[in-house]
Amino acid sequence: MLKQVLVVEGKSDIQRVQQALEVECIATEGFNLRKPVLSRIKDAYEKRGIIILTDPDYAGERIRRFLTKRFPLAQHAFVPREEAYANDDIGIEQASPESIRKALEVLHIESMESSELFTMQDLVQYDLSGGSSSAAMRARIGAKLGIGYGNGKQFLYRLNHYGISREAFFAALSEDENK
């Protein structure tokens, strides 16, 4: 059982996560986080720590940003978009238990200060921005690094704020080339 409490979006997400492992979960019940829900999340954050595992879509990212501002030392886990898509829907409830377990193996804490290790030039140079296949490549590299999918600007932010080293970045690129 995980020590931390998992914060997900809905009850279906909780059911799917609990198929993957034994863990306490709190559902945000969408973006309109009610005071009782925020109070439960705050208690969990202070007593046990939380891991934010939201859907890899716009609404999930919006919830993640909101929670990160309130709980800056929260850990983050990401299920890749392609592993969270089924039945014409995207979300944690669509992910396999294996994908959820894999996402929880790579946790990051967002730093409020940028490491500035990476620039937009790096993304362009390594075909992660500006190319016809850049979005697909960002999705693959983001999955390997455990930072999820994002557009170029968001991907750059995550590289610089989630403690990704240049060594890890190049290892992910190399692994991607070899497939």
Side-chain angles (χ1 to χ4, degrees):
M1 179 164 178
L2 277 178
K3 174 190 152 219
Q4 302 94 326
V5 175
L6 225 56
V7 179
V8 296
E9 291 181 52
K11 291 181 173 129
S12 298
D13 297 335
I14 290 174
Q15 290 172 341
R16 179 60 74 173
V17 165
Q18 291 180 337
Q19 289 174 359
L21 69 156
E22 188 178 331
V23 62
E24 183 181 342
C25 296
I26 298 173
T28 65
E29 299 169 17
F31 186 71
N32 296 329
L33 289 123
R34 296 174 302 131
K35 284 187 181 189
V37 173
L38 278 173
S39 179
R40 284 186 62 214
I41 294 171
K42 181 180 181 211
D43 287 346
Y45 175 77
E46 291 172 349
K47 292 177 182 162
R48 296 173 49 195
I50 61 172
I51 300 170
I52 301 171
L53 180 68
T54 54
D55 295 349
D57 60 9
Y58 177 78
E61 289 304 317
R62 191 171 169 210
I63 293 167
R64 183 183 296 277
R65 282 191 306 271
F66 177 83
L67 291 172
T68 300
K69 284 180 184 170
R70 286 189 169 245
F71 310 108
L73 297 178
Q75 293 181 300
H76 296 264
F78 298 87
V79 171
R81 290 171 66 97
E82 62 275 359
E83 293 179 28
Y85 186 81
N87 307 316
D88 291 326
D89 193 16
I90 191 165
I92 299 303
E93 74 273 10
Q94 305 300 330
S96 70
E98 177 59 31
S99 292
I100 292 168
R101 284 190 294 271
K102 192 168 69 171
L104 292 169
E105 289 174 4
V106 183
L107 301 174
H108 298 282
I109 295 176
E110 182 176 334
S111 170
M112 293 301 125
E113 291 189 28
S114 174
S115 70
E116 299 186 15
L117 278 177
F118 300 94
T119 65
M120 190 55 78
Q121 181 60 37
D122 290 317
L123 298 189
V124 171
Q125 180 178 353
Y126 296 104
D127 214 19
L128 293 162
S129 182
S132 60
S133 61
S134 296
M137 189 163 177
R138 280 192 311 274
R140 293 190 311 270
I141 300 302
K144 291 176 189 331
L145 295 171
I147 60 173
Y149 173 80
N151 63 30
K153 185 176 176 182
Q154 187 177 41
F155 192 80
L156 180 62
Y157 180 91
R158 288 182 182 170
L159 287 172
N160 284 321
H161 289 264
Y162 283 108
I164 305 301
S165 69
R166 289 196 73 82
E167 293 79 16
F169 176 75
F170 289 124
L173 286 174
S174 177
E175 183 182 325
D176 192 63
E177 274 181 10
N178 295 329
K179 287 194 174 187

